[in-house]
Amino acid sequence: MARSDVLVSAEWAEANLDTPGVVFVEVDEDTDAYDGGHLAGAVKLDWRADLQDPVKRDFVDAQQFSKLLSDRGIGNDDTVILYGGNNNWFAAYAYWYLTYYGHENLRLLDGGRKKWELDSRELTTEVPSREATTYTAKEPNDDVRAFRDEVVEAIGTKNLIDVRSPDEYAGRLLAPAHLPQEAAQIGGHIPTAGNVPWSKAANDDGTFKSDEELKELYAEAGLDDAKDTIAYCRIGERSSHTWFVLHEVLGHQNVKNYDGSWSEYGSLRGVPVALGDERGEA
Amino acid sequence: MCGATQGGPSLEGVDVANQAVIQGIVLRDGEPVASAYVRLLDRTGEFTAEVPTSATGQFRFFAGPGEWTLRTLAPRAEAVDRAVVAAKGVVADVEIDIAKVAVDA
């Protein structure tokens, strides 16, 4: 993987809005953002209503996912360009999610919705009608997804990266500061996890930093290339951003996203927790 | 300036007593800016959160007590930084005028 295989620029996107076989998909934390204006021809995925199981805390299954993409008019061979607000947090989450179900031709729009807006590029409220397809999801790829038992076992043995803000890592905040402070039962982080806030991988306009800057960032944080890596945040969306940087842009192997993240870990009984700015002991 | 008028979004339904709220409005020449982004940076300058402004130019954060910086990005404007202090049970209301440093188009 290289940057050019996984990212497209706003200029490229603007020139390819009508290109057959290319589908733009908006995924936002603010699920109403699309309705107020989106890239011409783009369809919407709602990370909560479309991508989460309506009953249990998990993803929709492969059959439901196949129906979802079929209904949206996305084919297995289409190149899907994902973009969204919040520096592509949820677009990166959808990228990781589509990777989990084996979609091959995926890109993120570098800078996402924010750069598009700051550049004063055109948005429309017109909702496209795409003919339904018969999409077939592949078997879930657990090589990119970590579950809680694997995370507990990783303490002291694998690279754990907590990508939340320093105040969330230390336990001074429980959620990102634009959300009410609630969620996990307690604050803190998984012992031995380094804190590399996802935001350090992005420029102010939401685009990703250069390969050189990204390599230096994770090297400084002591990321050991020889070990497997698990990234987490609060609910797995910001850590998808970091998973994207490590796995897709920098080409690290064996990188997983722990989507249960702190909202799950910080509510588990009996697991070790570290408080404050230090990593803590295994 | 509009004196004591508070520029942030309505606090109806917000548990103010248990939150350290920072909120406000982004203006350009006195008009609300709906297409701006407000970033919350912690006392070390590290990014903590970001929100797009609402249709009425408003934004809100639930911070922790302490010193923060609001950095506002908007089309055709340079970034504007504003220091703000948050405290539990207090709503810090901030009016940000981006026109003052607007770039000549």
Side-chain angles (χ1 to χ4, degrees), chain B residues 28 76-77 102-105:
Chain B
R28 190 200 304 265
R76 302 178 306 283
V103 180
D104 289 335

Side-chain angles (χ1 to χ4, degrees), chain A residues 155-176:
Chain A
I155 296 171
T157 60
K158 294 181 180 174
N159 297 310
L160 281 167
I161 305 181
D162 185 318
V163 313
R164 297 173 299 161
S165 63
D167 280 337
E168 290 174 88
Y169 176 83
R172 292 185 287 267
L173 290 180
L174 278 172

Side-chain angles (χ1 to χ4, degrees), chain B residues 45-65:
Chain B
E46 184 60 59
F47 175 97
T48 300
E50 177 180 272
V51 286
T53 50
S54 68
T56 49
Q58 294 165 314
F59 63 89
R60 173 181 295 150
F61 295 105
F62 298 92

